[in-house]
């Protein structure tokens, strides 16, 4: 069975200008019987840091003794990474079984007259099925691109966590950061408790009412990630606490949070068969690239080469400014929904994604920084054979209650 085909078939066959269909996604959810999910739901939206917030929220919930299903987008290395139970990715067999379930139900839907079923939406629905089969006590959903326009809006969120919002997907989600923020906040419904990372004044006004989580919580400061990821981690923990209505046991929470591993978020990896180390970060704007560069210099004292991959809708100008004077290779991905047409600095090399091999990375020097969109960092993680099987360890997690629906 072509497992990936089940999730990507309609998206790959979409017509120019065709949009995802929330109506068909809801019809599929009804056919699967996953709405309502029957357990508390925490949904994460925003422009940057959603994956970090989702993982730390999940880890905190697991530390409180809950069995947690986490759905993120896209995967770190493979599509199995998109759906996790207590931090562990689903197996190949489990993903295949979920694909079979979806394919049977999709076959019974009316024809696609108002749009396609998006991959992110289908993985979310597969995650809801997996949560029920695993006997999950809570679900953490990371939105794909939007909020109100995303399939996560079909699932009533008990808590919505909003990571920093900035101008991305302009003209699709909105023309200003405030418009984009309102679209993302649209994931919250009546009764949803909304918590937000600190935002710019215009975004904060658009998100009201929302509870702002101040940075610098000292309780777990020594086990949280450095740099910009800390804000998202703190937001995830705060959102999990709101969902629980209580605190997890402090010692257990510390142990589980300390076990969190975030490949592709300032993660360092040795390139197989070489003495090269690559620092991988999913930075997509000037601030993120500068932070990643500062982390690399703090680790190594300098940087030999930078691999960067930013499609047209990301902050390429900011990356160019941040990387001025460095040896840079710009990598293009063969994905039809990403465009790479903007002019590059004259001194930058250009490479295709297939050229990002262990040997090619090692040839760039002993200290290589790789930054860019998560699709690119996934390719780098794959090239260095990074371990993405488990993102946190929840010792003593309960066994599944049953096979479910």
């Amino acid at each position: 069975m072509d497992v990936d085909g089940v999730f990507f078939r309609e998206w790959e066959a979409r017509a120019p200008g065709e949009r995802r269909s929330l109506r068909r996604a809801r019809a599929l959810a009804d056919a699967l019987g996953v709405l309502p999910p029957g357990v508390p739901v925490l949904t994460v939206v925003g422009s940057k840091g959603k994956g970090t917030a989702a993982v730390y929220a999940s880890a905190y919930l697991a530390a409180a003794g809950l069995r947690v299903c986490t759905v993120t987008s896209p995967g770190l290395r493979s599509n199995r990474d998109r759906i996790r139970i207590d931090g562990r990715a689903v197996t190949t067999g489990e993903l295949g079984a979920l694909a079979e379930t979806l394919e049977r139900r999709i076959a019974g839907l009316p024809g696609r007259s108002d749009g396609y079923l998006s991959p992110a939406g289908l993985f979310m629905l597969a995650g809801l099925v997996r949560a029920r089969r695993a006997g999950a006590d809570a679900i953490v959903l990371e939105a794909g691109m939007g909020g109100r326009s995303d399939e996560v809006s079909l699932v009533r969120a008990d808590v919505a966590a909003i990571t920093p919002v900035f101008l991305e997907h302009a003209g699709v989600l909105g023309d200003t950061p405030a418009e984009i923020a309102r679209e993302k906040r649209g994931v919250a419904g009546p009764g949803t408790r909304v918590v937000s990372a600190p935002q710019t004044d215009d975004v904060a006004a658009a998100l009201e009412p929302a509870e702002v989580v101040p940075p610098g919580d000292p309780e777990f400061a020594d086990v949280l990630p450095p740099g910009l990821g800390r804000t998202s981690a703190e937001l995830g923990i705060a959102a999990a606490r709101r969902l629980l209505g209580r605190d997890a046991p402090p010692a257990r929470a510390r142990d589980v949070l300390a076990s969190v591993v975030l490949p592709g978020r300032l993660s360092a990896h040795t390139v197989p068969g070489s003495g090269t180390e690559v620092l991988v970060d999913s930075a997509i704007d000037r601030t993120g690239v500068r932070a990643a560069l500062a982390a690399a210099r703090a680790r190594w004292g300098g940087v030999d080469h930078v691999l960067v991959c930013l499609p047209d809708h990301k902050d390429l100008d900011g990356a160019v400014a941040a990387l001025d004077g460095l040896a840079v290779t710009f990598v293009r991905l063969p994905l039809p929904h990403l465009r790479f047409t903007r002019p590059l600095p004259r001194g930058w090399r250009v490479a295709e994604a297939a050229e990002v091999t262990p040997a090619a990375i090692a040839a760039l020097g002993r200290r290589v920084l790789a930054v860019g969109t998560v699709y690119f960092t996934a390719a780098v993680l794959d090239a260095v054979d990074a371990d993405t099987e488990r993102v946190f360890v929840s010792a003593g997690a309960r066994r599944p209650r049953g096979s479910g629906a």
Side-chain angles (χ1 to χ4, degrees):
M1 177 185 182
D2 179 10
V3 173
D4 283 350
V6 173
F7 294 96
F8 291 92
R9 187 177 299 126
E10 291 199 7
W11 175 77
E12 290 175 343
R14 70 195 185 283
E18 186 179 10
R19 300 271 182 127
R20 64 178 67 188
S21 172
L22 294 188
R23 181 191 64 81
R24 293 187 71 230
R26 177 176 289 281
L28 179 56
D30 291 341
L32 292 166
V34 294
L35 295 181
V39 297
V41 174
L42 190 164
T43 300
V44 182
V45 299
S47 298
K48 181 62 177 170
K50 297 191 297 293
T52 299
V55 168
Y56 274 90
S58 300
Y60 193 85
L61 293 171
L66 275 62
R67 189 166 182 79
V68 185
C69 178
T70 310
V71 183
T72 54
S73 178
L76 296 175
R77 279 186 66 180
S78 75
N79 288 319
R80 294 193 300 107
D81 297 331
R82 293 174 180 252
I83 303 170
R84 297 178 183 271
I85 299 294
D86 289 340
R88 185 183 291 278
V90 296
T91 66
T92 300
E94 288 167 343
L95 187 62
L98 293 170
E100 288 179 1
T101 299
L102 260 63
E103 187 162 50
R104 288 197 304 270
R105 299 302 185 183
I106 292 171
L109 296 181
R112 48 186 289 189
S113 60
D114 65 341
Y116 60 88
L117 292 168
S118 77
L122 289 172
F123 279 109
M124 184 203 75
L125 293 176
L128 296 181
V129 174
R130 182 71 187 115
R132 183 159 295 178
R133 291 176 177 175
D137 302 304
I139 297 171
V140 177
L141 301 176
E142 177 194 349
M145 183 174 67
R148 182 183 296 108
S149 61
D150 193 278
E151 286 84 358
V152 294
S153 65
L154 302 176
V155 186
R156 180 190 175 279
D158 296 276
V159 175
I162 305 178
T163 67
V165 175
F166 48 79
L167 189 62
E168 60 159 358
H169 301 293
V172 178
L173 300 181
D175 294 322
T176 66
E179 289 180 2
I180 293 170
R182 280 190 287 271
E183 207 283 336
K184 290 182 181 291
R185 196 193 186 286
V187 74
T192 300
R193 187 169 184 178
V194 180
V195 293
S196 171
Q199 308 280 358
T200 59
D201 289 344
D202 56 336
V203 169
L207 294 178
E208 290 182 353
E211 175 187 357
V212 178
V213 177
D217 184 347
E219 184 174 2
F220 302 114
D222 58 323
V223 297
L224 297 185
L228 300 177
R230 177 156 300 188
T231 296
S232 295
E234 291 174 340
L235 175 67
I237 293 168
R241 281 174 159 154
R242 273 59 169 185
L243 192 76
L244 284 167
R246 58 183 171 86
D247 289 346
R252 180 173 172 79
R254 176 172 294 278
D255 287 345
V256 177
L257 293 174
S259 76
V260 171
V261 177
L262 292 171
R265 275 76 173 179
L266 286 178
S267 60
H269 309 271
T270 299
V271 178
S274 78
T276 294
E277 189 173 61
V278 57
L279 188 67
V280 186
D281 191 59
S282 301
I284 56 173
D285 66 353
R286 180 190 310 251
T287 301
V289 172
R290 282 179 173 169
L293 188 59
R297 285 170 169 159
R299 183 179 184 87
W300 300 319
V303 176
D304 296 322
H305 206 96
V306 181
L307 292 168
V308 61
C309 176
L310 293 173
D312 290 352
H313 66 282
K314 302 297 185 184
D315 184 15
L316 179 58
D317 292 339
V320 169
L323 299 175
D324 184 47
L326 294 169
V328 177
T329 296
F330 186 82
V331 181
R332 298 182 298 202
L333 300 177
L335 298 176
H337 67 294
L338 299 180
R339 293 175 58 81
F340 297 90
T341 63
R342 297 180 62 186
L344 302 173
R346 180 170 298 179
W348 284 21
R349 291 181 54 235
V350 177
E352 303 302 323
E355 299 175 59
V356 182
T357 64
I361 297 173
L364 298 175
R366 298 177 66 87
R367 306 167 300 178
V368 178
L369 175 65
V371 294
T373 180
V374 290
Y375 295 100
F376 166 66
T377 56
V380 176
L381 292 173
D382 197 51
V384 300
D385 196 26
D387 182 4
T388 60
E389 198 65 23
R390 194 155 200 168
V391 291
F392 64 84
V393 177
S394 178
R398 293 186 296 102
R399 297 177 64 84
R401 289 196 295 258
S403 60

